[in-house]
Amino acid sequence: MTDHALRLLRQDRRLAELAAFPFGFDLDRAAHGHVEMVRLASGGPLETVAGDDTGGTYFLCADGSVLYADSEGSAGIIGSSVDEALELMIGLPGWHDCVHLSPDDDEEKILAVVAEIEDEIREHYGIDGERARLRAALGFPERSPVELVGRLRAALTRTEPDFVLLNAEEGRAYDRIGPAGPPLWEPVLAAGRADLASLREGDRTAWREVAEDPVRRRITLRAAQFDRAEDDLELMRHLLRHETRSSMTNELRLAAVLVGLHGDTGDLPLLLEVRETDFDTACGLGGIPEPGASADELRRWARGLDESMFGTDPSDEPVSTWTDLARDQGMTDLALVTLIRELDGIVMDRSRLRRPGAPRALATAPLSGLARDFEELGDLAQALRAQRLYASLQETSWDRVSARHTLARLEREAGLLPRAADSLAAVRATLAAPDDDLLRHWQRINLGRYIAEEHYRLTLALADAGHPEEARALLTAADALLGELSDNAATGVRELAGRTAARVREAG
């Protein structure tokens, strides 16, 4: 597709005015920008090319796709080029009300919905003559509403993961216009399902390659979790033996469960051998029946672990299961978008963190987990967003200090040096006047060492960034912390302290 139509509109004022009204593609509104600063989650470029009279904005993406964002926080791709998007807007001037339609709907329904929408528009202004003139001037063919609805649906389904729009300041994702995409577990499990089918067919090359590839092995085991077969026992034994190479993983537990559910007591030596692979597997696979146990005892153990950790519905799995497997397969954009929406849900509704049976208590661990996941994916902005909320919800002095220490590190790594200094100031304030006794030995343990180290690292960053006064002030605070540490805790910090002091002197 091309941007032929966009060039024509920019060259011909009369055509531009016709596109603006009645079809809602107003080039003049591009100068005003969107109602708020926005960016793509993928980091790709955006060019504002037009707007409409409702506050919506049309953006041109790097590949030529057109992303529409309304003023209420929803966005979606509506065409693979400006030409395609304009064809849609001209052929379906009420396209906003057609996003619920699908090519799977029968033709009669689609035509009836489109006719009703257009009849309502005609009550206020004309569209038929204007549509014919603009189509002719831009060289567009006349397409049926059914074809245009199909194009609209196809375009909207391409929005995620590459074209998810974020509020640039808050990091919140725009809602998706049109239908939701498939759950993350579907694309994540696709390769595993294909490998499982090959293994079941007896493909010996697949038996070797899948077993030896840790990612393919994990995904295949997850596929088998939701597609269980009586004839899989030998296959599960094979994958279980090879999964021990990864030590204690959830997939190792899963493989043990899928073997144990068959109730073959001849598998007890294998299960016990796997359990004794190393210390971690011995802890993670506790409770396996000992030699001489009955088939019922073996099944009972496997069912108990299955019910507590696994099951047969992929939608019951924690989102981290699928984001981790997506990342392992290189689906980083899918993982990132899913994690952003997960964080958005918590930000908008903190009751999602409430502990079962304790409605006033919050389980904040998911937030720290999200912060780590974002950091591993290289998105410090989202990691900071999750960590800030996590830090704000901590109730004990230990948790507040630990959370703000991590926040300071992330802020430093993101180049937000004044914010990092504020976070460390809050850490020092809590250390000086804790409201409980959980920090009474902080000087003797690794927490104290880590806090002192972060002070010196931030001091170095301030000096390197040309802020000598702030660096000297923080160095004083760092040295005071170092003076409070026990000899053991301070041992690993002194070299960094000396290097930092020299750098501050050099910076003047």
Side-chain angles (χ1 to χ4, degrees):
M1 301 298 290
T2 71
D3 62 352
H4 169 74
L6 182 59
R7 290 198 303 271
L8 288 179
L9 294 183
R10 286 172 170 170
Q11 294 167 3
D12 190 324
R13 184 65 187 173
R14 180 184 59 85
L15 291 181
E17 290 174 350
L18 190 56
F21 183 81
F23 300 106
F25 189 80
D26 190 344
L27 297 180
D28 291 340
R29 292 181 182 270
H32 303 295
H34 193 47
V35 294
E36 61 185 5
M37 295 296 293
V38 292
R39 64 180 177 87
L40 288 178
S42 65
L46 286 175
E47 177 190 354
T48 306
V49 292
D52 62 25
D53 59 4
T54 68
T57 305
Y58 296 93
F59 297 98
L60 188 61
C61 303
D63 71 340
S65 296
V66 175
L67 178 70
Y68 175 78
D70 64 28
S71 60
E72 303 300 320
S74 298
I77 292 291
I78 62 168
S80 61
S81 68
V82 176
D83 285 20
E84 188 175 294
L86 274 167
E87 270 202 75
L88 173 74
M89 287 180 269
I90 296 166
L92 292 176
W95 70 267
H96 298 271
D97 297 318
C98 296
V99 297
H100 66 286
L101 294 174
S102 164
D104 295 332
D105 295 325
D106 62 59
E107 181 176 340
E108 183 178 353
K109 174 184 176 180
I110 293 174
L111 293 176
V113 170
V114 171
E116 181 179 356
I117 292 169
E118 294 194 351
D119 284 345
E120 291 180 3
I121 295 174
R122 292 186 186 98
E123 292 179 4
H124 303 283
Y125 48 82
I127 55 173
D128 298 304
E130 293 82 354
R131 175 156 51 197
R133 290 198 300 275
L134 194 53
R135 268 180 176 159
L138 298 179
F140 290 162
E142 183 175 348
R143 301 187 190 276
S144 73
V146 176
E147 181 179 356
L148 292 173
V149 164
R151 288 185 167 208
L152 175 60
R153 174 58 69 99
L156 290 171
T157 58
R158 289 199 304 112
T159 302
E160 293 193 2
D162 296 330
F163 304 103
V164 173
L165 196 65
L166 306 180
N167 174 293
E169 182 177 354
E170 300 174 2
R172 173 188 52 80
Y174 273 50
D175 293 333
R176 186 170 183 162
I177 293 178
L184 181 59
W185 56 264
E186 286 191 8
V188 166
L189 284 181
R193 287 170 164 170
D195 278 339
L196 182 61
S198 296
L199 295 173
R200 285 172 172 169
E201 290 169 1
D203 184 332
R204 304 315 297 182
T205 299
W207 273 61
R208 182 184 70 255
E209 292 179 348
V210 172
E212 293 179 353
D213 185 315
V215 174
R216 291 178 69 181
R217 189 171 64 234
R218 290 175 64 204
I219 299 165
T220 301
L221 281 166
R222 288 294 180 174
Q225 176 184 348
F226 308 110
D227 179 13
R228 305 180 183 192
E230 286 295 326
D231 295 335
D232 279 349
L233 179 55
E234 186 55 40
L235 170 57
M236 293 303 106
R237 291 168 177 158
H238 179 64
L239 295 179
L240 172 62
R241 292 186 183 99
H242 283 78
E243 186 59 20
T244 58
R245 299 177 183 180
S246 298
S247 188
M248 191 60 250
T249 64
N250 280 334
E251 284 72 30
L252 182 67
R253 284 195 186 94
L254 173 60
V257 164
L258 294 177
V259 168
L261 285 172
H262 288 270
D264 186 336
T265 57
D267 288 318
L268 282 172
L270 170 62
L271 292 168
L272 294 169
E273 178 186 348
V274 168
R275 186 186 67 184
E276 299 307 316
T277 300
D278 54 33
F279 177 78
D280 290 337
T281 55
C283 296
L285 288 174
I288 294 176
E290 297 298 323
S294 68
D296 285 343
E297 288 175 306
L298 177 57
R299 289 193 189 94
R300 188 159 51 247
W301 167 81
R303 279 197 300 268
L305 197 55
D306 190 23
E307 291 170 1
S308 65
M309 292 195 65
F310 301 110
T312 58
D313 186 347
S315 63
D316 289 339
E317 283 290 323
V319 68
S320 59
T321 296
W322 306 123
T323 54
D324 287 350
L325 290 173
R327 185 176 59 206
D328 289 344
Q329 293 180 81
M331 303 176 183
T332 53
D333 287 340
L334 269 174
L336 179 61
V337 167
T338 301
L339 291 169
I340 290 172
R341 295 205 181 280
E342 185 75 6
L343 177 56
D344 286 348
I346 294 173
V347 170
M348 297 300 293
D349 181 11
R350 294 185 190 178
S351 68
R352 293 175 59 170
L353 297 174
R354 298 206 180 280
R355 298 178 186 273
R360 296 186 179 181
L362 296 181
T364 57
L367 284 169
S368 61
L370 284 169
R372 287 192 298 272
D373 288 340
F374 284 127
E375 187 177 4
E376 289 176 4
L377 288 169
D379 195 327
L380 282 181
Q382 294 292 345
L384 279 165
R385 187 173 164 230
Q387 188 66 25
R388 284 194 188 107
L389 180 56
Y390 175 71
S392 71
L393 296 176
Q394 299 314 300
E395 297 181 350
T396 70
S397 60
W398 177 284
D399 290 339
R400 285 196 298 273
V401 163
S402 178
R404 289 194 178 276
H405 163 262
T406 300
L407 178 60
R409 176 183 62 78
L410 291 172
E411 289 168 335
R412 172 177 56 81
E413 292 175 354
L416 304 174
L417 304 187
R419 288 192 178 185
D422 289 342
S423 294
L424 289 184
V427 168
R428 295 195 302 276
T430 303
L431 290 176
D435 52 12
D436 55 44
D437 63 353
L438 296 178
L439 290 170
R440 62 186 180 277
H441 300 306
W442 70 267
Q443 302 93 334
R444 306 177 191 173
I445 57 178
N446 280 335
L447 178 62
R449 172 186 170 180
Y450 298 151
I451 290 169
E453 286 176 339
E454 186 55 38
H455 276 72
Y456 286 116
R457 291 194 179 99
L458 181 56
T459 300
L460 283 171
L462 287 166
D464 290 342
H467 301 293
E469 292 185 9
E470 292 85 347
R472 284 193 294 272
L474 192 58
L475 178 61
T476 299
D479 287 343
L481 287 171
L482 180 59
E484 293 193 57
L485 297 183
S486 68
D487 285 342
N488 286 339
T491 298
V493 186
R494 291 193 177 102
E495 187 276 332
L496 175 60
R499 181 157 45 89
T500 303
R503 179 67 184 92
V504 171
R505 288 194 297 270
E506 178 186 319

